[in-house]
PDB file of all heavy atoms in Angstrom:
ATOM      1  N   GLU M 343     -46.136  49.273 -98.736  1.00  0.00           N
ATOM      2  CA  GLU M 343     -46.055  50.705 -98.964  1.00  0.00           C
ATOM      3  C   GLU M 343     -44.757  51.056 -99.709  1.00  0.00           C
ATOM      4  O   GLU M 343     -43.778  50.312 -99.579  1.00  0.00           O
ATOM      5  CB  GLU M 343     -46.069  51.453 -97.640  1.00  0.00           C
ATOM      6  CG  GLU M 343     -47.350  51.319 -96.836  1.00  0.00           C
ATOM      7  CD  GLU M 343     -48.522  52.079 -97.425  1.00  0.00           C
ATOM      8  OE1 GLU M 343     -48.307  53.070 -98.200  1.00  0.00           O
ATOM      9  OE2 GLU M 343     -49.680  51.688 -97.155  1.00  0.00           O
ATOM     10  N   LYS M 344     -44.751  52.144-100.396  1.00  0.00           N
ATOM     11  CA  LYS M 344     -43.510  52.656-100.984  1.00  0.00           C
ATOM     12  C   LYS M 344     -42.605  53.179 -99.860  1.00  0.00           C
ATOM     13  O   LYS M 344     -43.109  53.701 -98.857  1.00  0.00           O
ATOM     14  CB  LYS M 344     -43.818  53.772-101.996  1.00  0.00           C
ATOM     15  CG  LYS M 344     -44.610  53.328-103.194  1.00  0.00           C
ATOM     16  CD  LYS M 344     -44.883  54.489-104.130  1.00  0.00           C
ATOM     17  CE  LYS M 344     -45.663  54.037-105.377  1.00  0.00           C
ATOM     18  NZ  LYS M 344     -45.939  55.160-106.279  1.00  0.00           N
ATOM     19  N   ASP M 345     -41.323  53.023-100.045  1.00  0.00           N
ATOM     20  CA  ASP M 345     -40.427  53.410 -98.956  1.00  0.00           C
ATOM     21  C   ASP M 345     -39.886  54.868 -99.061  1.00  0.00           C
ATOM     22  O   ASP M 345     -39.036  55.285 -98.252  1.00  0.00           O
ATOM     23  CB  ASP M 345     -39.238  52.442 -98.872  1.00  0.00           C
ATOM     24  CG  ASP M 345     -38.389  52.402-100.140  1.00  0.00           C
ATOM     25  OD1 ASP M 345     -38.410  53.357-100.931  1.00  0.00           O
ATOM     26  OD2 ASP M 345     -37.674  51.375-100.359  1.00  0.00           O
ATOM     27  N   GLY M 346     -40.382  55.613-100.024  1.00  0.00           N
ATOM     28  CA  GLY M 346     -40.023  57.017-100.122  1.00  0.00           C
ATOM     29  C   GLY M 346     -38.950  57.348-101.133  1.00  0.00           C
ATOM     30  O   GLY M 346     -38.732  58.517-101.463  1.00  0.00           O
ATOM     31  N   VAL M 347     -38.313  56.320-101.677  1.00  0.00           N
ATOM     32  CA  VAL M 347     -37.286  56.550-102.705  1.00  0.00           C
ATOM     33  C   VAL M 347     -38.011  56.779-104.062  1.00  0.00           C
ATOM     34  O   VAL M 347     -39.021  56.115-104.328  1.00  0.00           O
ATOM     35  CB  VAL M 347     -36.339  55.334-102.825  1.00  0.00           C
ATOM     36  CG1 VAL M 347     -35.414  55.482-103.996  1.00  0.00           C
ATOM     37  CG2 VAL M 347     -35.544  55.211-101.532  1.00  0.00           C
ATOM     38  N   ALA M 348     -37.515  57.691-104.837  1.00  0.00           N
ATOM     39  CA  ALA M 348     -38.164  57.948-106.124  1.00  0.00           C
ATOM     40  C   ALA M 348     -38.308  56.700-106.955  1.00  0.00           C
ATOM     41  O   ALA M 348     -37.372  55.876-107.029  1.00  0.00           O
ATOM     42  CB  ALA M 348     -37.308  59.005-106.892  1.00  0.00           C
ATOM     43  N   ALA M 349     -39.477  56.534-107.542  1.00  0.00           N
ATOM     44  CA  ALA M 349     -39.801  55.400-108.414  1.00  0.00           C
ATOM     45  C   ALA M 349     -39.862  54.048-107.669  1.00  0.00           C
ATOM     46  O   ALA M 349     -39.871  52.977-108.311  1.00  0.00           O
ATOM     47  CB  ALA M 349     -38.816  55.306-109.590  1.00  0.00           C
ATOM     48  N   ASP M 350     -39.890  54.103-106.349  1.00  0.00           N
ATOM     49  CA  ASP M 350     -39.985  52.837-105.618  1.00  0.00           C
ATOM     50  C   ASP M 350     -41.323  52.179-105.887  1.00  0.00           C
ATOM     51  O   ASP M 350     -42.349  52.812-106.048  1.00  0.00           O
ATOM     52  CB  ASP M 350     -39.860  53.113-104.124  1.00  0.00           C
ATOM     53  CG  ASP M 350     -39.951  51.823-103.282  1.00  0.00           C
ATOM     54  OD1 ASP M 350     -39.138  50.934-103.518  1.00  0.00           O
ATOM     55  OD2 ASP M 350     -40.851  51.736-102.424  1.00  0.00           O
ATOM     56  N   ASN M 351     -41.325  50.859-105.945  1.00  0.00           N
ATOM     57  CA  ASN M 351     -42.528  50.049-106.209  1.00  0.00           C
ATOM     58  C   ASN M 351     -42.805  49.176-104.997  1.00  0.00           C
ATOM     59  O   ASN M 351     -42.117  48.186-104.768  1.00  0.00           O
ATOM     60  CB  ASN M 351     -42.325  49.199-107.464  1.00  0.00           C
ATOM     61  CG  ASN M 351     -43.591  48.446-107.866  1.00  0.00           C
ATOM     62  OD1 ASN M 351     -44.546  48.312-107.076  1.00  0.00           O
ATOM     63  ND2 ASN M 351     -43.599  47.944-109.081  1.00  0.00           N
ATOM     64  N   GLY M 352     -43.784  49.574-104.227  1.00  0.00           N
ATOM     65  CA  GLY M 352     -44.122  48.841-102.977  1.00  0.00           C
ATOM     66  C   GLY M 352     -44.679  47.452-103.231  1.00  0.00           C
ATOM     67  O   GLY M 352     -44.813  46.672-102.308  1.00  0.00           O
ATOM     68  N   ASP M 353     -45.026  47.133-104.500  1.00  0.00           N
ATOM     69  CA  ASP M 353     -45.613  45.821-104.774  1.00  0.00           C
ATOM     70  C   ASP M 353     -44.629  44.848-105.371  1.00  0.00           C
ATOM     71  O   ASP M 353     -45.072  43.810-105.949  1.00  0.00           O
ATOM     72  CB  ASP M 353     -46.797  46.012-105.718  1.00  0.00           C
ATOM     73  CG  ASP M 353     -48.000  46.644-104.994  1.00  0.00           C
ATOM     74  OD1 ASP M 353     -48.018  46.609-103.741  1.00  0.00           O
ATOM     75  OD2 ASP M 353     -48.893  47.143-105.669  1.00  0.00           O
ATOM     76  N   ASP M 354     -43.338  45.117-105.298  1.00  0.00           N
ATOM     77  CA  ASP M 354     -42.408  44.056-105.720  1.00  0.00           C
ATOM     78  C   ASP M 354     -41.982  43.197-104.525  1.00  0.00           C
ATOM     79  O   ASP M 354     -42.379  43.476-103.415  1.00  0.00           O
ATOM     80  CB  ASP M 354     -41.197  44.691-106.473  1.00  0.00           C
ATOM     81  CG  ASP M 354     -40.331  45.585-105.580  1.00  0.00           C
ATOM     82  OD1 ASP M 354     -40.344  45.359-104.348  1.00  0.00           O
ATOM     83  OD2 ASP M 354     -39.645  46.434-106.105  1.00  0.00           O
ATOM     84  N   PHE M 355     -41.196  42.189-104.794  1.00  0.00           N
ATOM     85  CA  PHE M 355     -40.822  41.280-103.716  1.00  0.00           C
ATOM     86  C   PHE M 355     -39.729  41.807-102.797  1.00  0.00           C
ATOM     87  O   PHE M 355     -39.351  41.121-101.847  1.00  0.00           O
ATOM     88  CB  PHE M 355     -40.418  39.925-104.312  1.00  0.00           C
ATOM     89  CG  PHE M 355     -41.585  39.022-104.629  1.00  0.00           C
ATOM     90  CD1 PHE M 355     -42.887  39.499-104.694  1.00  0.00           C
ATOM     91  CD2 PHE M 355     -41.379  37.649-104.888  1.00  0.00           C
ATOM     92  CE1 PHE M 355     -43.947  38.716-104.990  1.00  0.00           C
ATOM     93  CE2 PHE M 355     -42.458  36.825-105.208  1.00  0.00           C
ATOM     94  CZ  PHE M 355     -43.743  37.352-105.235  1.00  0.00           C
ATOM     95  N   ASN M 356     -39.262  43.003-103.027  1.00  0.00           N
ATOM     96  CA  ASN M 356     -38.323  43.624-102.083  1.00  0.00           C
ATOM     97  C   ASN M 356     -39.045  44.221-100.899  1.00  0.00           C
ATOM     98  O   ASN M 356     -38.412  44.675 -99.945  1.00  0.00           O
ATOM     99  CB  ASN M 356     -37.517  44.719-102.766  1.00  0.00           C
ATOM    100  CG  ASN M 356     -36.557  44.206-103.840  1.00  0.00           C
ATOM    101  OD1 ASN M 356     -35.883  43.190-103.568  1.00  0.00           O
ATOM    102  ND2 ASN M 356     -36.489  44.844-104.968  1.00  0.00           N
ATOM    103  N   HIS M 357     -40.369  44.259-100.976  1.00  0.00           N
ATOM    104  CA  HIS M 357     -41.193  44.771 -99.857  1.00  0.00           C
ATOM    105  C   HIS M 357     -42.016  43.629 -99.314  1.00  0.00           C
ATOM    106  O   HIS M 357     -42.778  43.009-100.072  1.00  0.00           O
ATOM    107  CB  HIS M 357     -42.119  45.888-100.368  1.00  0.00           C
ATOM    108  CG  HIS M 357     -41.397  47.062-100.978  1.00  0.00           C
ATOM    109  ND1 HIS M 357     -40.792  46.966-102.212  1.00  0.00           N
ATOM    110  CD2 HIS M 357     -41.191  48.314-100.551  1.00  0.00           C
ATOM    111  CE1 HIS M 357     -40.251  48.138-102.523  1.00  0.00           C
ATOM    112  NE2 HIS M 357     -40.468  48.978-101.537  1.00  0.00           N
ATOM    113  N   THR M 358     -41.860  43.320 -98.054  1.00  0.00           N
ATOM    114  CA  THR M 358     -42.692  42.273 -97.424  1.00  0.00           C
ATOM    115  C   THR M 358     -43.675  42.887 -96.485  1.00  0.00           C
ATOM    116  O   THR M 358     -43.477  43.997 -95.989  1.00  0.00           O
ATOM    117  CB  THR M 358     -41.790  41.245 -96.719  1.00  0.00           C
ATOM    118  OG1 THR M 358     -41.110  41.881 -95.649  1.00  0.00           O
ATOM    119  CG2 THR M 358     -40.798  40.643 -97.684  1.00  0.00           C
ATOM    120  N   VAL M 359     -44.717  42.123 -96.149  1.00  0.00           N
ATOM    121  CA  VAL M 359     -45.801  42.539 -95.265  1.00  0.00           C
ATOM    122  C   VAL M 359     -45.773  41.643 -94.019  1.00  0.00           C
ATOM    123  O   VAL M 359     -45.592  40.403 -94.157  1.00  0.00           O
ATOM    124  CB  VAL M 359     -47.166  42.509 -95.961  1.00  0.00           C
ATOM    125  CG1 VAL M 359     -48.265  42.965 -95.010  1.00  0.00           C
ATOM    126  CG2 VAL M 359     -47.141  43.324 -97.224  1.00  0.00           C
ATOM    127  N   GLY M 360     -45.974  42.203 -92.851  1.00  0.00           N
ATOM    128  CA  GLY M 360     -45.951  41.434 -91.624  1.00  0.00           C
ATOM    129  C   GLY M 360     -47.069  40.465 -91.458  1.00  0.00           C
ATOM    130  O   GLY M 360     -48.216  40.751 -91.831  1.00  0.00           O
TER     131      GLY M 360
END
Side-chain angles (χ1 to χ4, degrees):
E343 296 288 336
K344 296 180 180 180
D345 60 23
V347 173
D350 180 58
N351 186 344
D353 288 341
D354 64 25
F355 277 14
N356 292 318
H357 302 71
T358 63
V359 181

